[in-house]
């Protein structure tokens, strides 16, 4: 049985810079869960994704995604997700799970 290769990503599509300022890993029901505090366009956000350890702090390139669970938010809720592109060419999806103001 042959497995098809993952589709190649275009780094030019990853135009958003995510500055990760805090990273936490926890074991969830479906494996490891990464909880990040980050700055995106000056807005402090909390991001949730699945990974195998604590993500290193720093800047990552990302592309916005439309979350599958609620594609059309109402006027007062926001449903945003980002796909990070790592230097290895791997990608990982993160959902925005919170907003806060920066001090």
């Amino acid at each position: 049985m042959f497995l098809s290769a993952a589709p190649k990503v275009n780094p030019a599509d990853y135009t958003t810079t995510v500055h990760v300022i805090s990273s936490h890993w926890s074991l969830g029901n479906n494996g490891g869960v990464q909880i990040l505090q980050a700055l995106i366009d000056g807005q402090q956000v909390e991001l949730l994704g699945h990974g195998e350890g604590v993500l290193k702090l720093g800047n990552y390139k990302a592309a916005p995604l439309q979350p599958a669970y609620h594609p059309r938010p109402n006027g007062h809720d926001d449903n945003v997700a980002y796909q990070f592109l790592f230097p290895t060419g791997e990608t990982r999806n993160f959902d925005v799970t919170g907003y806060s103001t920066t001090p």
Side-chain angles (χ1 to χ4, degrees):
M1 173 192 247
F2 292 99
L3 297 176
S4 62
K8 298 254 182 193
V9 297
N10 182 359
D13 293 337
Y14 295 79
T15 59
T16 301
T17 298
V18 179
H19 180 67
V20 177
I21 56 177
S22 173
S23 179
H24 177 79
W25 182 85
S26 180
L27 188 59
N29 292 336
N30 295 322
V33 176
Q34 292 176 322
I35 304 164
L36 311 177
Q37 298 293 325
L39 294 173
I40 300 175
D41 295 329
Q43 173 69 59
Q44 189 167 336
V45 298
E46 179 181 82
L47 298 161
L48 179 70
H50 294 281
E52 296 304 317
V54 177
L55 185 67
K56 292 182 179 180
L57 305 182
N59 291 327
Y60 295 92
K61 289 308 222 176
L65 297 174
Q66 181 66 48
Y69 58 86
H70 194 218
R72 298 190 198 288
N74 53 36
H76 51 272
D77 292 318
D78 200 6
N79 295 299
V80 180
Y82 290 91
Q83 183 174 73
F84 284 30
L85 175 63
F86 296 107
T88 60
E90 295 176 71
T91 61
R92 187 174 306 150
N93 296 347
F94 289 89
D95 292 311
V96 174
T97 56
Y99 291 108
S100 63
T101 58
T102 55

